[in-house]
């Protein structure tokens, strides 16, 4: 059950990043990512989640900048 608790907020942050359409929205999502990392660092979440958040954020930024 602990894994499900950690993955659900992660999925919500990913969904938020993917829904961003402007740079200002992406800045807000970036703050969400940092808050997620700060919060879940204390309970010990897998590092792959942090990497995936950063990569998803980067890809969305590239997508928005190309528009």
């Amino acid at each position: 059950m602990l894994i499900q608790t950690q993955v659900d907020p992660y999925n919500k942050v990913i969904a938020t990043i993917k829904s961003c359409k402007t740079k200002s929205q992406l800045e807000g999502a970036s703050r969400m990512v940092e808050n997620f990392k700060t919060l879940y660092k204390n309970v010990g979440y897998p590092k792959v989640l942090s990497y995936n958040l950063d990569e998803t954020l980067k890809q969305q930024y590239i997508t928005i900048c190309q528009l």
Side-chain angles (χ1 to χ4, degrees):
M1 188 55 95
L2 178 62
I3 293 173
Q4 178 62 30
T5 305
Q6 290 179 348
V7 174
D8 189 43
Y10 166 80
N11 288 334
K12 289 180 182 181
V13 175
I14 291 289
T16 300
I17 293 169
K18 290 182 177 182
S19 71
C20 293
K21 303 291 184 217
T22 66
K23 287 183 183 179
S24 64
Q25 289 174 339
L26 207 53
E27 289 171 5
S30 177
R31 286 190 295 276
M32 285 182 70
V33 168
E34 292 307 314
N35 289 339
F36 178 89
K37 288 179 184 180
T38 301
L39 178 66
Y40 283 94
K41 178 180 174 185
N42 296 333
V43 296
Y45 68 99
K47 297 293 182 192
V48 71
L49 297 181
S50 175
Y51 176 78
N52 285 341
L53 286 171
D54 290 337
E55 286 300 308
T56 303
L57 193 62
K58 183 173 124 182
Q59 288 296 357
Q60 190 66 16
Y61 182 77
I62 290 169
T63 301
I64 289 173
C65 288
Q66 288 178 349
L67 296 178

